[in-house]
Amino acid sequence: MTPPTKRRRMPNCTTRLLSLAIISLLATISIFSPAALASPSSASDVQVIVYAGPKPKECSNDNISKAAGNDGKLNKIIPNSIVGLHFTATIDPTSTASRSLLGKVIESSKSGMGIAPSFPVGQGKVISGLDLGLIGLCRGSSAYIIVPPHLGYGSLGKPNVGVEPETTLRYDVEILDVQPPIPNDFVKIDVNHDWLISVDEAKVYFDSLGQAIDLEGLWKEEDKDHDGFISWEEFTGPKGSEGPPSDATKKHGRRQRQAAADTTTKPKKREQKKVNNQQAQTAERQSIDDVATLLRSIDTDNDGKISKIELANTFRSLGQEMTEEFWRESDPDRDGYVSFEEFVGDSGTTATSTATDKTVENGDGEEL
């Protein structure tokens, strides 16, 4: 994934992705089955016998380049490399199960259209034993790969092709082509492996490359559903051949991401709201305290209310004269005194209630 130039778009590797088009043929070859059928793998349990072409020690991927005349192809199978091969699957003579099928072909890529399948090695596209046995073989070689039951079809077998449980398989493979692994920038960026790229993950990735990029513009281009994340489907950069295992997994990842965001964002919002409320209450109490202090300074006889004389004396102390109009506005109920409620004007009942509560709490015995 490289920074955009003229367009804010993650670069494609269309040319190299075309080499994977043949992978769709795997759907018609039942011997290529989910690796989930196998037990935990061990390369030492798989026997590989090279009977034609270069041996593993006779080939190397050192100094591979297009200039060497091989169009960048690899000489040796490595994990995640794209392998094109022909295969023929049979029951191995050492198998104690499926003995009735000995000498018979279970499946072969040479039957039917005879098109050699192509797939990334080591990603569970085929049974575990075949995945393990292919690694290290040379382009142009032919080999037998003997797969024990626990790395093949295990205790379930493969009834639709006649393979019984606990059957040892033999693959006769011919390695036709080995392409380098397709870059997978998506996996590099998606550090928490939830199959969704966040803005933070993208920023960390580009910062690690020392590349400045307009993330806001990039998100407008890539985030088609505007959910704040770039999904595997939305991502237009190189993403190899390893994709999300299932929609359920992606949704679970999204829920995990959202739950993680909620656990950090919601408490912060609640804490900030609490702080804001405390600040507002403090400011309100301070305002009430200021008003109460001013009222006490005018209420010279400490009866909790201001008389006309007390208010007039306050004006005189400030070098002013209180007008009758001001008094009438200050004493709207015309009882001859200015109460706390009348004194604070629009503050009204709330201020009175708070001030009264504070008086009780302070225990000063004065009802303002």
Side-chain angles (χ1 to χ4, degrees):
M1 182 163 158
T2 54
T5 52
K6 292 183 179 180
R7 295 189 64 198
R8 294 188 297 266
R9 186 174 181 80
M10 296 180 182
N12 287 299
C13 55
T14 307
T15 302
R16 297 190 63 197
L17 287 175
L18 289 176
S19 66
L20 290 178
I22 197 83
I23 293 179
S24 60
L25 291 171
L26 298 182
T28 64
I29 304 176
S30 62
I31 202 71
F32 285 79
S33 302
L37 291 174
S39 304
S41 58
S42 172
S44 63
D45 293 339
V46 178
Q47 185 180 1
V48 180
I49 304 171
V50 178
Y51 65 85
K55 303 292 193 294
K57 292 183 179 180
E58 298 172 356
C59 65
S60 170
N61 291 327
D62 295 341
N63 303 317
I64 293 294
S65 67
K66 292 184 179 180
N70 65 352
D71 294 327
K73 294 181 180 180
L74 300 180
N75 293 323
K76 194 171 199 172
I77 298 175
I78 60 175
N80 301 312
S81 57
I82 312 302
V83 176
L85 56 73
H86 270 305
F87 77 93
T88 298
T90 60
I91 305 300
D92 189 75
T94 64
S95 180
T96 58
S98 305
R99 301 294 296 178
S100 62
L101 295 179
L102 283 177
K104 296 181 180 179
V105 174
I106 299 173
E107 294 222 30
S108 177
S109 61
K110 295 181 179 180
S111 61
M113 294 179 64
I115 298 177
S118 178
F119 59 92
V121 174
Q123 294 186 10
K125 304 298 183 182
V126 297
I127 58 175
S128 297
L130 186 56
D131 250 347
L132 292 168
L134 287 171
I135 294 175
L137 290 180
C138 303
R139 180 162 52 94
S141 68
S142 296
Y144 297 124
I145 299 177
I146 302 171
V147 180
H150 68 282
L151 295 178
Y153 296 116
S155 60
L156 298 178
K158 187 79 170 177
N160 63 318
V161 293
V163 176
E164 299 173 359
E166 307 302 333
T167 296
T168 300
L169 303 171
R170 174 183 288 244
Y171 286 89
D172 184 351
V173 298
E174 179 185 358
I175 310 303
L176 303 176
D177 187 40
V178 185
Q179 295 282 351
I182 295 176
N184 195 334
D185 283 356
F186 187 96
V187 171
K188 293 178 183 177
I189 303 170
D190 181 30
V191 293
N192 67 353
H193 310 301
D194 66 351
W195 299 102
L196 294 167
I197 295 176
S198 68
V199 174
D200 290 340
E201 286 174 326
K203 184 178 186 305
V204 169
Y205 175 77
F206 284 113
D207 286 348
S208 69
L209 299 178
Q211 297 175 344
I213 188 170
D214 178 11
L215 289 176
E216 182 178 354
L218 186 61
W219 241 251
K220 289 180 180 178
E221 186 84 20
E222 295 285 322
D223 183 18
K224 303 298 190 301
D225 59 6
H226 307 295
D227 66 347
F229 301 101
I230 296 176
S231 67
W232 171 267
E233 293 79 7
E234 293 170 331
F235 187 81
T236 59
K239 51 187 177 182
S241 53
E242 179 189 0
S246 68
D247 287 340
T249 301
K250 286 185 291 184
K251 291 177 182 178
H252 178 66
R254 187 184 295 270
R255 288 195 295 270
Q256 285 184 321
R257 174 75 69 90
Q258 188 60 50
D262 289 346
T263 58
T264 56
T265 303
K266 288 184 177 180
K268 287 181 179 179
K269 289 183 177 180
R270 287 196 296 268
E271 184 63 27
Q272 186 59 48
K273 185 176 181 179
K274 182 179 179 181
V275 170
N276 291 343
N277 288 339
Q278 289 175 340
Q279 291 176 343
Q281 291 173 2
T282 300
E284 182 181 6
R285 285 184 178 277
Q286 184 60 49
S287 176
I288 293 171
D289 286 346
D290 293 342
V291 172
T293 299
L294 178 59
L295 186 144
R296 289 193 182 98
S297 68
I298 301 173
D299 181 25
T300 55
D301 60 5
N302 297 321
D303 62 355
K305 51 190 177 182
I306 300 174
S307 66
K308 184 175 182 180
I309 295 175
E310 288 172 330
L311 188 56
N313 288 338
T314 300
F315 269 84
R316 292 191 188 97
S317 67
L318 298 174
Q320 302 290 329
E321 288 293 331
M322 182 185 73
T323 64
E324 286 296 325
E325 181 180 2
F326 183 85
W327 174 252
R328 285 195 297 272
E329 291 178 354
S330 300
D331 180 27
D333 62 2
R334 302 292 187 269
D335 66 347
Y337 297 96
V338 177
S339 64
F340 183 87
E341 292 87 342
E342 293 171 330
F343 189 73
V344 298
D346 292 338
S347 297
T349 306
T350 301
T352 304
S353 174
T354 307
T356 303
D357 292 343
K358 185 173 182 65
T359 300
V360 173
E361 291 173 2
N362 288 342
D364 59 11
E366 293 183 356
E367 182 182 356
L368 298 180

